[in-house]
Amino acid sequence: MIEFVVCGEGSSDLRYDAFNGFDGPLAIAVRNLLDNWYSEEVEMYMVARSELSDANKNDKPKRKAYVRGAKNPYPNTVSISAFSACLARKAVEHGDACGAILFEDMDFSSHENRDKYYRAMIAAMHSGFDSESFRMGVPMVPITRSESWMLCLIDKEAAQKSYYENLSGSDNSPNSGKKVLANMLDCAERENYNVIRSTVESYDWNLLPAPSFIFFKNRLHVVSALMLHEAFPDGLNLENTKIPN
């Protein structure tokens, strides 16, 4: 059996949609990938973001070295690191062979360096996993939003050019992923995932060309191979799937 604890931001990404009674689109993607690679049963334990927040509040803060003049350009990576540490502990509660997947959208203003911010978010997640000596952590960070990956499913030509990884990092922008996806599907933003559900369920997620998805996919493949004591995919290992180039 392949087991993961998973935490997303809402029912439209990695989490279970309790109201409608089905997995979010990215939970479907994870199952699809694992089913393509292995014949093992897949079990995903959904962890609410509030559970990680509450656990983080109860943790005793660790002393950190202070460097005069040092400033973190991405302050939210501190909480991201703490969340990943909490999720690692949740995984260990399920057993030594349970992995963890943490989803986070990129929220950033137009003046931010997208690629540096992306690497900082991935590094922060691994910092939290490493603080718990946890080797089976999988960051799931779309560039720029989960909608970027959804758009690649329905517009393959633009996807090949990585166009949808250049969308705004803000939901308030007229060029936000939610708005572009709604326009593409000819529906209201709140209906995006109801309309695209059949596409998400029938798609072979191994084919998704978005670079940030390929990075996530490679890490998931390596970690699941480690869990099953299988050989790593050609050219991949735990170290070279840890931080994007």
Short mmCIF file of all heavy atoms in Angstrom, two decimals, residues 7 10 17 27 30 47 51 67 81 93 96 124 130 151 158 166 183 197 202 214:
data_model
loop_
_atom_site.label_atom_id
_atom_site.label_comp_id
_atom_site.label_asym_id
_atom_site.label_seq_id
_atom_site.Cartn_x
_atom_site.Cartn_y
_atom_site.Cartn_z
N CYS A 7 -2.08 17.78 2.55
CA CYS A 7 -2.71 19.01 3.03
C CYS A 7 -2.72 20.04 1.91
O CYS A 7 -1.68 20.35 1.31
CB CYS A 7 -1.95 19.57 4.23
SG CYS A 7 -2.69 21.08 4.91
N GLY A 10 -7.69 24.22 -0.03
CA GLY A 10 -9.14 24.20 -0.16
C GLY A 10 -9.59 23.01 -0.98
O GLY A 10 -8.77 22.26 -1.52
N ASP A 17 -13.42 17.22 -1.07
CA ASP A 17 -14.57 18.11 -1.09
C ASP A 17 -15.73 17.41 -0.38
O ASP A 17 -16.45 16.62 -0.98
CB ASP A 17 -14.94 18.44 -2.54
CG ASP A 17 -16.05 19.49 -2.65
OD1 ASP A 17 -16.81 19.64 -1.66
OD2 ASP A 17 -16.15 20.15 -3.69
N ALA A 27 -5.87 15.95 -5.91
CA ALA A 27 -5.88 14.63 -5.27
C ALA A 27 -6.11 13.57 -6.33
O ALA A 27 -5.51 12.48 -6.31
CB ALA A 27 -6.97 14.57 -4.20
N VAL A 30 -2.81 13.02 -8.13
CA VAL A 30 -1.88 12.18 -7.37
C VAL A 30 -2.25 10.71 -7.52
O VAL A 30 -1.38 9.86 -7.78
CB VAL A 30 -1.88 12.59 -5.88
CG1 VAL A 30 -1.09 11.58 -5.04
CG2 VAL A 30 -1.29 13.98 -5.70
N VAL A 47 -5.40 16.19 5.73
CA VAL A 47 -5.14 16.98 6.93
C VAL A 47 -5.52 18.42 6.64
O VAL A 47 -5.05 19.01 5.66
CB VAL A 47 -3.65 16.91 7.34
CG1 VAL A 47 -3.38 17.79 8.56
CG2 VAL A 47 -3.24 15.47 7.61
N GLU A 51 -5.43 22.21 11.22
CA GLU A 51 -4.75 21.26 12.10
C GLU A 51 -3.26 21.58 12.19
O GLU A 51 -2.65 21.48 13.26
CB GLU A 51 -4.93 19.83 11.61
CG GLU A 51 -6.35 19.30 11.69
CD GLU A 51 -6.45 17.87 11.20
OE1 GLU A 51 -5.78 17.00 11.80
OE2 GLU A 51 -7.17 17.62 10.22
N VAL A 67 21.36 37.45 12.34
CA VAL A 67 22.41 38.09 11.54
C VAL A 67 22.02 39.54 11.30
O VAL A 67 20.95 39.82 10.73
CB VAL A 67 22.59 37.37 10.18
CG1 VAL A 67 23.68 38.05 9.37
CG2 VAL A 67 22.91 35.90 10.40
N SER A 81 7.47 26.49 6.26
CA SER A 81 8.40 25.53 6.84
C SER A 81 7.81 24.87 8.08
O SER A 81 7.93 23.65 8.27
CB SER A 81 9.72 26.23 7.18
OG SER A 81 10.67 25.31 7.69
N GLU A 93 2.98 9.55 12.46
CA GLU A 93 1.93 8.94 13.27
C GLU A 93 1.26 7.77 12.55
O GLU A 93 0.73 6.86 13.18
CB GLU A 93 0.88 9.98 13.65
CG GLU A 93 1.38 11.03 14.63
CD GLU A 93 0.35 12.14 14.86
OE1 GLU A 93 -0.78 12.03 14.32
OE2 GLU A 93 0.69 13.11 15.56
N ASP A 96 6.13 4.34 9.58
CA ASP A 96 7.42 4.71 8.99
C ASP A 96 7.38 4.84 7.47
O ASP A 96 8.24 5.49 6.87
CB ASP A 96 8.48 3.67 9.37
CG ASP A 96 8.77 3.66 10.87
OD1 ASP A 96 8.49 4.69 11.51
OD2 ASP A 96 9.28 2.64 11.36
N ALA A 124 11.70 26.00 1.68
CA ALA A 124 11.09 26.13 3.00
C ALA A 124 10.38 24.85 3.41
O ALA A 124 10.46 24.42 4.57
CB ALA A 124 10.12 27.30 3.01
N ASP A 130 13.09 18.38 6.78
CA ASP A 130 14.41 18.00 7.27
C ASP A 130 14.53 18.20 8.78
O ASP A 130 15.26 17.45 9.46
CB ASP A 130 15.50 18.82 6.57
CG ASP A 130 15.67 18.44 5.10
OD1 ASP A 130 15.13 17.39 4.69
OD2 ASP A 130 16.33 19.21 4.36
N LEU A 151 -5.37 24.62 -16.77
CA LEU A 151 -5.41 25.20 -18.11
C LEU A 151 -4.57 24.38 -19.09
O LEU A 151 -4.91 24.30 -20.27
CB LEU A 151 -4.91 26.65 -18.06
CG LEU A 151 -5.93 27.65 -17.51
CD1 LEU A 151 -5.25 28.91 -17.00
CD2 LEU A 151 -6.96 28.00 -18.59
N ALA A 158 -0.65 25.91 -25.86
CA ALA A 158 -0.09 26.92 -24.96
C ALA A 158 0.68 26.27 -23.83
O ALA A 158 1.69 26.79 -23.36
CB ALA A 158 -1.20 27.81 -24.41
N ASN A 166 3.05 31.73 -16.54
CA ASN A 166 3.32 33.17 -16.51
C ASN A 166 2.11 33.99 -16.08
O ASN A 166 2.10 35.22 -16.20
CB ASN A 166 3.78 33.65 -17.89
CG ASN A 166 5.11 33.04 -18.30
OD1 ASN A 166 6.01 32.94 -17.47
ND2 ASN A 166 5.22 32.61 -19.54
N ASN A 183 -12.95 31.93 -18.25
CA ASN A 183 -13.17 32.38 -19.63
C ASN A 183 -13.00 31.24 -20.62
O ASN A 183 -13.76 31.12 -21.59
CB ASN A 183 -12.19 33.51 -19.97
CG ASN A 183 -12.53 34.81 -19.26
OD1 ASN A 183 -13.68 35.04 -18.89
ND2 ASN A 183 -11.54 35.66 -19.06
N ARG A 197 -14.28 18.88 -14.19
CA ARG A 197 -14.09 17.64 -13.44
C ARG A 197 -13.90 16.43 -14.34
O ARG A 197 -13.00 15.60 -14.12
CB ARG A 197 -15.27 17.40 -12.49
CG ARG A 197 -15.24 16.03 -11.79
CD ARG A 197 -16.00 16.04 -10.52
NE ARG A 197 -15.40 16.97 -9.58
CZ ARG A 197 -14.35 16.67 -8.81
NH1 ARG A 197 -13.81 15.48 -8.87
NH2 ARG A 197 -13.86 17.54 -7.98
N SER A 202 -10.37 12.05 -16.43
CA SER A 202 -10.01 11.19 -17.56
C SER A 202 -8.60 11.45 -18.09
O SER A 202 -8.09 10.70 -18.92
CB SER A 202 -11.01 11.39 -18.71
OG SER A 202 -10.98 12.73 -19.18
N ILE A 214 6.06 18.82 -13.56
CA ILE A 214 7.05 17.78 -13.79
C ILE A 214 7.98 17.65 -12.59
O ILE A 214 8.33 16.54 -12.16
CB ILE A 214 7.84 18.07 -15.08
CG1 ILE A 214 6.92 17.94 -16.30
CG2 ILE A 214 9.05 17.14 -15.21
CD1 ILE A 214 7.55 18.41 -17.60
#
